Amino acid sequence: MLLTKQSLTVFVLLLVQLIGTFAQGILPSGWENIKLTRELDLQHTFTVESFQLTIKNIADKPLKQYFIPIPKQLRDQLSTITASLSKNTDALLNCYVSDTLNTLEDGTVLSYGVVELPTPLQPGKEIDIVARIFYNIAGIPYPSKIKIGEVQQLYFSTNRLPLSPYSTLEGRLLVKTKSDVKEDNKPEDQFLQGTFNDDTNTLEFGPWYDIKPYTVSNVDLIYKHVPALKEVINLQRDIWVAHWASTIQFEEYYELTNKGVGLTDGFSRLEFMKRSQLAQFGMIPWIHILEMSLPEQATEHFCTDKVGMVSTTDVVGDTFYIKPRFPIFGGWFYNFTIGWTNPLNQFLQRYENDDETFLLTVPILNGPQDTVYDNVNVTIYLPEGAELLDAGSPVSYKSISTAHEHSYFDMKEGHVKLTFEFKNLFTDIGKADLLVKYRYSKAALYKKPLSIAAYFFSALMGFFVIRSLNLSINN
Amino acid sequence: MSLSVKEKTVVNWVLRALKLLICIFVVVASISSRLFAVVKFESIIHEFDPWFNFRATKLLTETSFYNFLNWFDSRTWYPLGRVTGGTLYPGLMTTASLIWNILHKIGIPIDIRNVCVLFAPIFSSLTAWATYKLASDIKDTRTGLLAAAFIAIVPGYISRSVAGSYDNEAIAITLLMLTFMFWIKSIKTGSILHTIGASLCYFYMVSAWGGYVFITNLIPFHVFCLLLMGRYSNQIYVSYTTWFVLGTVASMQIPFVGFLPIRSNDHMSALGIFGLLQIVAFGNFIKKSYSQNNNNSNSNGNLKKVMVFSFLAVCILGILLLILATYLGLIAPWTGRFYSLWDTNYAKIHIPIIASVSEHQPVAWPAFFFDTHFLIWLFPVGVTLLFSELKNEHVFIIVYSVLCSYFAGVMVRLMLTLTPVICIASSVALSQLFDTYLNFYDLFKFWQNGSSSRQNSTNKDTKLNFFKFLSKLIVSGSFIFYLYIFVYHCTWVTQNAYSSPSVVLPSQTPDGKMALIDDFREAYYWLRMNTDEDSKVAAWWDYGYQIGGMADRTTLVDNNTWNNTHIALVGKAMASNEDRAYEIFNELDVDYVLVVFGGLLGFGGDDLNKFLWMIRISEGIWPDEVNERSFFSTTGEYRVDSSATQVMKDSIMYKMSYHNFPYLYGENSGGVDHVRQQLIKPEDVGDLKRFHEVFTSENWMIRIYKLNERDNEGRDSEFSVFKNKSVANDNNSNVEGVDGSRRRRRRRRQQYSLLDASELRI
């Protein structure tokens, strides 16, 4: 069981993107895109850009690195890059973001995502790759404000023709949305226009042939997007491991906002009540209910905010439903804290040959569906006296740090505190597990209650001594 | 029958164990019954003032004590601000923060909110202990145990000390009892140690509650009565002078009190008695040395005359000096609250803001029974019993009960200071009763001598008097039954009447489950999350502390009510028409206006019901601009429907309360205000031109409006982008859905009519 988990982890670890050091000013070259299909998925709060590539080495030496351009302004919102060979989508390739910046003639500044092939490709050979880039962005509301009851529309601007450092023989663009999508300011050239496919809710452009490297051409898309755009600006996720109670406690503090459409006339409760039935079908651009998918067997759920308990919560199966104090319209904010408890053995494994060393595997996120996270801090608190051996994450993190934190009855150095700092996460990526290996000796385990008992005993003895003192001047 | 030494030791141990057990039970009962509020609702700060105390405590935990004392709060009383550190009683906050710090030091990093919530229950157990000690000194330990048990669960005290009721009274009653406990001990023993205890507790009390003036006057009054009764003794002299000097000097260390003890009329009686005591002591000394030299009865008589004459002369001279000093302005005159203690109509005429507070109203008769149950009729019995023995400490209890009975009759909140003495006096009465009637020694004796007595039936000592036994059984049985009912009553009252945080209102869903009406927090949290951090919120002063504590926004006025004019200004704006109100609010830099509207739910404590007080208070300052009469209909009624006066309909309070309300039930049917039971029609409610609705809570209890912004050229709302929407022409209105929720709310409504609308008719 443990081995399978470990091998899985190693496998997932391939996802890790390293910030490569790439010599400035050297332009990528040497490849030719035989076929490039770029698919833009705008159905969620985050955006997925997939490339289906057939590429050919036209250089005179074997090549290993393939470059995918990323507009500079999107680099800060980039969540992750994955790539695989088309014939084996299970084996992920190594990907990272290059430091190279390239300014084009029209002023566009490009950065690059780099896909590394498992082995260098010989000149003249072709290979099929599938690459996906996840961005922590969505369309912006268009118009930015509407009345309650009107439909939310989003605006998204992107490149029409394939933008690549290499020349492209055949290129296509597909835009996938939840409902219909149309182009704003359509060009007159029929060749450039797209056609909408009702069955797949996809706007299909192309094919175009023989496109030069670095061809910049814009397309403005407007599409209906009914659900709210949930964005967690900050998430502080605390995970407390308790060996004596044999539980693991989760506590999460969210700073949530809706980056969707705002209200023109302020909030009218009357108008809102008239349209309250829409909420039942989820046909609303405001956040009405948050559905947190928790681990199985979670108990002792709670939800509070800065003014106390939120009483409008419910637990059905593994989902924790929270109705915020007020509906969260575009531009509104809501901070809250939730927590729950799970049995420890669900997340903790003991090594077979060493019963004092443990491996903890906890999911990175447990938040609501279809949500993006700007900053996430996951803090794991190990018991006082535990010794941290190793820690890892399948998702790239900004920083990792250790410290100590005093909690209940911690009289010495306190709980061991391990903090991962992430940027730009989204719901699906949160299913990955963090791994923490630590040693917690039997001595440390028993020292805790004994020291608490000793404190109580000395306090009682002190009281007894004070009671026995006689300071009266009569005798 | 005599017990051997060994048996006596065993009996003593059993008695001590029993006493300890009872004390533990009392402590457990006193804490647990106050936890209903947490169990039924949550760990939350209650009502209004506690929110300020909580905010101050939080600040104290984050900063140093001196910074706290120098705290200038620019987020209240905008734009004036408040010298908060110098105008509060820091005792409560300091204690809570000290507890918090100690707990953190010993490895219990508990949240400050939980310390504040559980503060009152913990201190109430201390009160029970102090009452036990005090009552034990009055009669015996049996009385003490009874008194402790009573004070632990009596609703009159619980009403201000449930979990979450983090107010000054939470600690003040404990300190009151501790001071009295030490005072009685020192009067009995003349021990300086006990007197120092009393002085320190008094100092602590001064630092915690403005009601310390009660002690400042009660103790001198007790001493005065003892002097009048001719009971001067060295113990009294030592106790009082030590207490007065130490207590006064210590109390002057509190910044808010400062030089009041030598400058205010409230404190003059203590000073007068101090002077008088010196003279009496001197007279007594002369009398003693005189009578040692002369045993002549005639000269003794002369001496007595001289003493009485000089006593009267000193009293008259003292009072004259007091009047003169007050007249010259050397001593501050009595405060408004003090005057309203003697003349119940005083506040209503002169200071409407004091009269407008519900806890400054006189007590209704049933409240005495509600708050103290059967103790209320045992109380006079106890006091009467004390008269029979009339020791010095008994005089204290008598004086305390007489004064407090009067005060409690004048102001509801002073019921709190009466409750402890009710408990003590009743326990005296009850323990006296039980001493006689719960004594079944005869029965045990009868059983012990069983066989021998039956053989010798002529022996009267061992014969059981059946009727005596029966009468004992009936009396003690009925009183045990009363005790049982008392406990039942206390639990019921605590659970149902005193455990509601009043921030959250309990309600029931149609299927009988408990649901919470959480509109206050909904709106406050909306303010906190979705407005600029330095936004200014105008609301009636009742909500000032809550807005500061929960919404964390700047307020114009709050429950501190230190500036009547500023409050009147807000009242005036609320009572003015839209243009005038916009002008006033703009001058005050206001961004949002918050009103409380109970018409949909039937919540009687809303702003329209308080509106008359706003009008009265602002009329007191601007009689030319605001006129109470113009808000009453021609028949002299306070109406809000079509027969309301135009001035009423034009006021922004009216417009903001009823904005969109009539359309809630359909296009033209109008809506019924469930508090005032009047029909509001669409044509009664004028459009808002200079304000627009930005938030209304789920049950419409809190409505928040924003002032339309002036454009770049300084033109206001007429040109603003925010136009008031008329929903009359909106054909999409889903009337059925809205009506359904109305029916559900009607069912909830009845529970919250805190104030009957008919009371407002004149």
Side-chain angles (χ1 to χ4, degrees), chain B residues 663-676:
Chain B
Y663 302 114
L664 185 57
Y665 303 99
E667 299 297 305
N668 298 311
S669 57
V672 175
D673 180 328
H674 289 127
V675 174
R676 290 152 283 269

Side-chain angles (χ1 to χ4, degrees), chain B residues 246-264:
Chain B
L246 272 183
T248 308
V249 171
S251 70
M252 285 163 75
Q253 309 309 312
I254 307 298
F256 190 32
V257 176
F259 281 91
L260 276 183
I262 52 167
R263 296 211 51 177
S264 142

Side-chain angles (χ1 to χ4, degrees), chain B residues 40-155:
Chain B
K40 274 182 76 181
F41 296 93
E42 60 184 281
S43 165
I44 185 185
I45 303 291
H46 289 195
E47 297 190 319
F48 305 102
D49 288 20
W51 275 100
F52 166 75
N53 299 328
F54 172 57
R55 184 167 157 249
T57 312
K58 225 161 80 177
L59 184 99
L60 180 58
T61 56
E62 289 159 7
T63 181
S64 73
F65 180 65
Y66 288 103
N67 281 344
F68 175 69
L69 284 186
N70 289 325
W71 177 27
F72 178 81
D73 190 359
S74 56
R75 291 177 76 78
T76 52
W77 294 92
Y78 186 85
L80 310 169
R82 176 184 164 198
V83 191
T84 315
T87 55
L88 53 68
Y89 292 101
L92 179 78
M93 298 98 185
T94 326
T95 313
S97 127
L98 189 75
I99 292 173
W100 182 80
N101 275 312
I102 291 174
L103 286 178
H104 272 241
K105 284 272 172 341
I106 61 166
I108 306 177
I110 185 174
D111 187 36
I112 183 68
R113 193 197 68 235
N114 288 325
V115 174
C116 295
V117 166
L118 298 176
F119 191 90
I122 301 294
F123 271 79
S124 68
S125 61
L126 256 178
T127 312
W129 177 78
T131 313
Y132 160 71
K133 285 281 179 195
L134 175 59
S136 304
D137 276 341
I138 300 296
K139 194 170 165 280
D140 48 33
T141 45
R142 289 189 295 276
T143 317
L145 287 174
L146 269 175
F150 287 155
I151 195 83
I153 56 168
V154 69

Side-chain angles (χ1 to χ4, degrees), chain B residues 198-220:
Chain B
S199 313
L200 288 180
C201 288
Y202 171 71
F203 162 65
Y204 201 174
M205 173 82 177
V206 175
S207 77
W209 194 37
Y212 74 89
V213 180
F214 176 62
I215 304 182
T216 321
N217 287 294
L218 185 65
I219 289 180

Side-chain angles (χ1 to χ4, degrees), chain A residues 192-255:
Chain A
L192 291 174
Q193 287 182 8
T195 49
F196 184 69
N197 182 343
D198 274 339
D199 298 336
T200 52
N201 276 337
T202 312
L203 187 62
E204 298 172 354
F205 294 89
W208 301 294
Y209 301 98
D210 297 323
I211 303 139
K212 286 179 189 162
Y214 300 114
T215 307
V216 177
S217 68
N218 215 40
V219 57
D220 297 331
L221 302 164
I222 292 174
Y223 56 100
K224 282 185 187 162
H225 188 88
V226 179
L229 302 176
K230 283 171 278 189
E231 181 185 17
V232 176
I233 300 167
N234 291 308
L235 167 65
Q236 175 62 48
R237 178 169 155 100
D238 295 339
I239 300 165
W240 294 82
V241 177
H243 278 251
W244 270 103
S246 198
T247 56
I248 181 162
Q249 289 182 317
F250 295 83
E251 190 176 314
E252 299 185 315
Y253 168 67
Y254 286 88
E255 289 182 5

